[in-house]
Structures are given as C-alpha cells and as structure tokens.
Amino acid sequence: MLKIGLTGGAGSGKTTVANMFADLGIDIVDADLISKQLTTIEGLAYPQIIQHFGPDIKLADGNIDRAQLRQIIFNDPSAKSWLEALLHPLIRSQILQQINAATSAYVIVVIPLLLEGQFDYGFDRVCVVDTTVALQIEHICQRDHCPSHLAQNMINQQASRQDRLALAD
C-alpha cells in the first residue's frame, strides 16, 4: 500500500488537508490525534504524565490541562524531552498498527514532527503543507487560545520551512 507522510509546521493547515483526503475515503492516521488519545484519562500515558508533572496538571474533571502542559514543555527543554521520550514510542506503535489496518487505496499519515522524529516509517511520498510564519502564529493562537509569543516559541522548536520543503515530493 502506498504510504504518504503529510507534514507541516504547527498551524500550517495539515488537518484541513487531511480532512479533504478523508472526505474522499482515504484512511488517515493522525499522530496528533493518537497523542491526544494516549493522554486522556483512559490513555496509556496519562498515569505517568500525572505522576511526573503532579496533580496540578489536571483540570477539575481530571483531564490534563493541555494549555498548562504546553506552557511547561515549550519553556522547559528537559520537560519536553521527558514527554517526548514517553509519548513517541507509543505514538509510533499506534501509527504502525493503524497503517497496517488501513483499507483505502493509499494511507496518509499526518505527522507534524516528521523531520524532528527519530523514526523511519518508509513513506513512499512526503507531502508538506506550507504557509507563512505569520499565518501559522495566527492559526495557533486561534486554535490553542495562547499568546503569540508561545506560538512563536512552538514554531521555533520545529524544523524550518526550508528543511520541510526540501523533504517534500
């Protein structure tokens, strides 16, 4: 089966593009969605995250306060490294399972950190969604209800536009 990696910077429009393919009946594997599932109350990573960051990282309903966690990891490299070491192997396992279960003509794997990641998924093609940094910041701030300096910090910690575009087929 043809495997296409779909990547792009934070707030670039990856989800919009993936949804267009899903509307055509193409199976989508989304690393961000997998990450969110792993960190829900029922998720495999939830207990370790609570243990590591403490109970103050929880909202009143018990869910992880994603805004607070985002603030922590994008301002503390060691916290970000710890979280990535926990989540990335779990995400990789889920991605591979979902690729193997795909039944459409081809499968698209939405993976924001394709360049930054340590794993080779054997993609046949790589599609890069690209936009200006200013538009990325606008999208991130609207989506995550965060200040522009945090959005810029998130972007700064990702691969550059030039590096992503050089990877594109």
Side-chain angles (χ1 to χ4, degrees), residues 44-60:
L44 291 174
Y46 179 87
Q48 293 157 294
I49 293 170
I50 300 304
Q51 181 179 2
H52 183 81
F53 291 103
D56 290 344
I57 198 74
K58 293 191 294 186
L59 296 167

Side-chain angles (χ1 to χ4, degrees), residues 35 38-39 43-55 57 64 69-70 72-91 113 118-119 157:
S35 176
L38 289 168
T39 58
L44 291 174
Y46 179 87
Q48 293 157 294
I49 293 170
I50 300 304
Q51 181 179 2
H52 183 81
F53 291 103
I57 198 74
I64 292 172
L69 184 60
R70 194 170 25 255
I72 293 168
I73 66 168
F74 285 106
N75 289 301
D76 180 352
S78 66
K80 184 177 183 220
S81 293
W82 181 90
L83 189 61
E84 288 174 344
L86 171 67
L87 289 177
H88 287 185
L90 297 171
I91 293 168
L113 301 178
Q118 308 163 7
F119 306 109
Q157 294 184 39

Side-chain angles (χ1 to χ4, degrees), residues 29 35 55 72 90 96 108 112 116 138 144 146 156 166:
V29 177
S35 176
I72 293 168
L90 297 171
L96 294 174
I108 293 181
E116 298 87 345
E138 181 181 327
D144 297 343
C146 69
N156 291 345

Side-chain angles (χ1 to χ4, degrees), residues 23-163:
D23 288 346
L24 297 172
I26 302 304
D27 289 332
I28 305 296
V29 177
D30 188 327
D32 280 347
L33 181 59
I34 292 168
S35 176
K36 287 177 185 168
Q37 291 166 345
L38 289 168
T39 58
T40 64
I41 292 174
E42 299 83 22
L44 291 174
Y46 179 87
Q48 293 157 294
I49 293 170
I50 300 304
Q51 181 179 2
H52 183 81
F53 291 103
D56 290 344
I57 198 74
K58 293 191 294 186
L59 296 167
D61 65 3
N63 285 300
I64 292 172
D65 183 340
R66 294 187 185 285
Q68 182 182 355
L69 184 60
R70 194 170 25 255
Q71 283 280 354
I72 293 168
I73 66 168
F74 285 106
N75 289 301
D76 180 352
S78 66
K80 184 177 183 220
S81 293
W82 181 90
L83 189 61
E84 288 174 344
L86 171 67
L87 289 177
H88 287 185
L90 297 171
I91 293 168
R92 176 177 167 69
S93 174
Q94 290 292 314
I95 286 173
L96 294 174
Q97 286 178 23
Q98 290 183 29
I99 288 171
N100 290 333
T103 59
S104 58
Y106 53 94
V107 63
I108 293 181
V109 181
V110 183
I111 185 159
L113 301 178
L114 179 60
L115 271 172
E116 298 87 345
Q118 308 163 7
F119 306 109
D120 180 8
Y121 291 94
F123 293 126
D124 299 295
R125 298 283 185 271
V126 173
C127 177
V128 175
V129 180
D130 184 51
T131 189
T132 65
V133 172
L135 196 52
Q136 283 181 269
I137 291 171
E138 181 181 327
H139 288 168
I140 293 167
C141 291
Q142 287 173 356
R143 178 191 70 200
D144 297 343
H145 309 289
C146 69
S148 60
H149 72 275
L150 180 59
Q152 182 67 62
N153 195 7
M154 292 168 66
I155 292 167
N156 291 345
Q157 294 184 39
Q158 294 184 335
S160 70
R161 289 178 69 200
Q162 295 77 15
D163 288 344

